[in-house]
Amino acid sequence: MNKKKSFFDWLFKKKKKKSLDIKKQSIKKKKNLYSKLNNITNNIFKKIKHFFSNNNLDKNFFKKLEEELILSDFGVKFSKKIINKVRVQVNSQCITEVDNAYLIFQNILKKILSKSPPYENNINNKPHIILIVGSNGVGKTSAIGKLTKKYINSGHSVVLAAGDTFRPGAVDQLKKWGKINSVPVISQLLGADSASVIYDTIQSAKAKKIDVVIADTAGRLHNKISLMQELKKIVSVIKKIDKNAPHEILLVLDATNGQNSILQTKTFNKYLNINGIILTKLDGTAKGGVIFYIIQKFSIPINYISVGENIDDFYSFKNKNYLDNFFFKK
Ligand SMILES: Nc1nc2c(ncn2[C@@H]2O[C@H](COP(=O)(O)OP(=O)(O)O)[C@@H](O)[C@H]2O)c(=O)[nH]1
Ligand SMILES: [Mg+2]
């Protein structure tokens, strides 16, 4: 009897230790994530924070703040709009301390962040088909690698379509991500018809009952119109298999491109029905103001942000609370 009791004691302690270990691991993971996000915050707002702590609310204050915002890629008109809002509140509340003006400024930005429409990634179709589009070099293929891991982690099977048949090396790059995630990549030779590669991939996914198809596409063809036509053709070929597909068309934007990202969004959205945005390279820019500009200008959700070249440097934008916390942490 005693032996039995001590065995159960031992088993209980072992289980408790294991659950503590798991807890510790997840805390460590969260800490890493927070410090990474904190670094981005510093990038985006370093200059602005510096500005607020090095200036008084004198008569030139708003003009100088406007310049800061424009330099941080908030856009000229949008910067003016934000400044006006700050000015109205500062005046009506008779604020004289720059710290209080900073709080007002942060609250205005928080409100903009909270306006980003929610991103619903319910998988109601099998296969769920995602088309990744965007200009050359913005981070499409890398984003596919990182997104694949997210789906694998949530228990879904994935197949990748090497739809960038234009750039030499693009297929190999996608295959590398396929290997890292242990998922198949369907490809043809360089110069092959992109729509046909994606069509084959979807057929293969159907035959093998794979949950998610993520299709890469080329970023640069000889001109903008031909790229858009190629993408429209891909969409119509996909519709031959499932008229409701692609279920998501995600536009990848490079945050370091600043205002150019706005033009890209306009162009891609004119030709395709963009469902969501992946904003990449937020780690490499002090000009992240574009994220606010995109949110206020387009009613397209920001689905993910990418903050580095590693597979885990990829965060859902859904959890606004922690983003809020880290965008604005002192
Ligand atoms: N620093 C940084 N680099 C990135 C990020 N995403 C992609 N890259 C790099 O950007 C370059 C272009 O990425 P790629 O996925 O090939 O772009 P694509 O041409 O749109 O497919 C590569 O060197 C990537 O490693 C990111 O979030 N941060
Ligand atoms: Mg690519």
Side-chain angles (χ1 to χ4, degrees):
M1 189 71 179
N2 263 351
K3 246 188 185 172
K4 209 171 177 183
K5 188 173 178 288
S6 66
F7 170 75
F8 280 119
D9 273 354
W10 171 81
L11 197 67
F12 177 72
K13 276 185 190 154
K14 196 177 163 195
K15 275 201 168 158
K16 204 171 166 190
K17 187 176 175 300
K18 198 174 169 191
S19 98
L20 273 176
D21 284 349
I22 291 172
K23 251 189 198 161
K24 270 187 198 159
Q25 269 175 14
S26 90
I27 289 172
K28 204 172 159 193
K29 245 188 176 170
K30 268 189 188 153
K31 270 193 178 160
N32 287 342
L33 179 139
Y34 288 172
S35 66
K36 188 95 198 184
L37 285 172
N38 212 9
N39 281 339
I40 332 164
T41 316
N42 290 339
N43 262 328
I44 295 177
F45 289 106
K46 206 156 56 185
K47 273 166 55 201
I48 294 176
K49 271 183 195 162
H50 194 250
F51 174 84
F52 273 93
S53 50
N54 285 287
N55 277 284
N56 294 318
L57 267 176
D58 55 22
K59 68 177 190 340
N60 292 324
F61 179 82
F62 289 107
K63 188 78 212 146
K64 285 192 277 180
L65 178 58
E66 187 181 322
E67 278 165 19
E68 280 301 311
L69 295 191
I70 292 171
L71 285 173
S72 306
D73 263 332
F74 280 77
V76 177
K77 269 194 197 159
F78 189 44
S79 297
K80 283 193 197 312
K81 209 168 147 184
I82 295 174
I83 301 291
N84 276 340
K85 280 189 179 168
V86 181
R87 198 200 315 259
V88 166
Q89 290 191 39
V90 162
N91 289 342
S92 70
Q93 295 172 36
C94 303
I95 282 168
T96 51
E97 295 291 320
V98 75
D99 281 357
N100 293 334
Y102 189 38
L103 288 179
I104 288 176
F105 173 76
Q106 287 189 338
N107 279 335
I108 289 169
L109 293 194
K110 276 184 197 172
K111 253 197 186 154
I112 299 167
L113 273 189
S114 73
K115 279 185 189 151
S116 174
Y119 159 50
E120 308 294 345
N121 69 336
N122 304 329
I123 298 193
N124 300 321
N125 302 277
K126 197 165 177 147
H128 180 78
I129 301 165
I130 305 170
L131 190 65
I132 303 290
V133 301
S135 297
N136 198 40
V138 290
K140 291 182 295 301
T141 309
S142 317
I144 291 172
K146 296 164 186 170
L147 186 58
T148 301
K149 182 163 178 199
K150 289 238 174 286
Y151 278 109
I152 299 284
N153 281 353
S154 59
H156 296 98
S157 51
V158 179
V159 60
L160 305 180
D164 183 355
T165 54
F166 186 75
R167 188 174 70 79
V171 173
D172 283 344
Q173 194 192 352
L174 192 71
K175 280 185 177 166
K176 268 188 202 152
W177 283 108
K179 205 169 170 190
I180 291 170
N181 285 301
S182 305
V183 302
V185 176
I186 308 288
S187 63
Q188 290 175 17
L189 293 176
L190 193 68
D193 179 21
S194 176
S196 117
V197 178
I198 295 171
Y199 185 90
D200 285 355
T201 312
I202 299 169
Q203 294 295 27
S204 159
K206 282 181 91 168
K208 292 179 183 149
K209 299 196 173 13
I210 292 176
D211 301 323
V212 182
V213 172
I214 310 179
D216 200 4
T217 57
R220 185 195 290 149
L221 293 179
H222 41 281
N223 64 46
K224 195 174 74 188
I225 299 295
S226 80
L227 172 61
M228 295 307 153
Q229 275 162 358
E230 163 103 7
L231 291 172
K232 281 187 89 161
K233 179 182 158 194
I234 292 172
V235 171
S236 67
V237 167
I238 293 175
K239 286 198 184 302
K240 283 185 187 157
I241 304 178
D242 177 348
K243 68 175 179 359
N244 296 318
H247 307 104
E248 293 180 63
I249 304 181
L250 302 184
L251 174 66
V252 182
L253 296 173
D254 174 342
T256 64
N257 281 339
Q259 293 301 298
N260 219 341
S261 301
I262 305 293
L263 277 179
Q264 289 169 13
T265 311
K266 269 188 194 158
T267 310
F268 278 91
N269 205 32
K270 186 174 155 197
Y271 291 91
L272 304 161
N273 188 11
I274 302 294
N275 306 104
I277 287 170
I278 298 176
L279 192 60
T280 65
K281 307 191 196 179
L282 267 170
D283 53 312
T285 179
K287 297 188 162 194
V290 74
I291 197 166
F292 297 94
Y293 194 38
I294 289 169
I295 290 172
Q296 71 90 40
K297 194 151 179 70
F298 305 98
S299 53
I300 304 173
I302 294 186
N303 298 8
Y304 298 99
I305 56 170
S306 173
V307 297
E309 298 190 81
N310 294 323
I311 194 158
D312 292 321
D313 293 337
F314 198 72
Y315 301 108
S316 163
F317 197 69
K318 216 174 185 176
N319 193 345
K320 290 203 190 72
N321 287 342
Y322 77 59
L323 276 173
D324 231 40
N325 194 16
F326 288 96
F327 270 117
F328 301 107
K329 211 173 167 184
K330 284 222 167 179

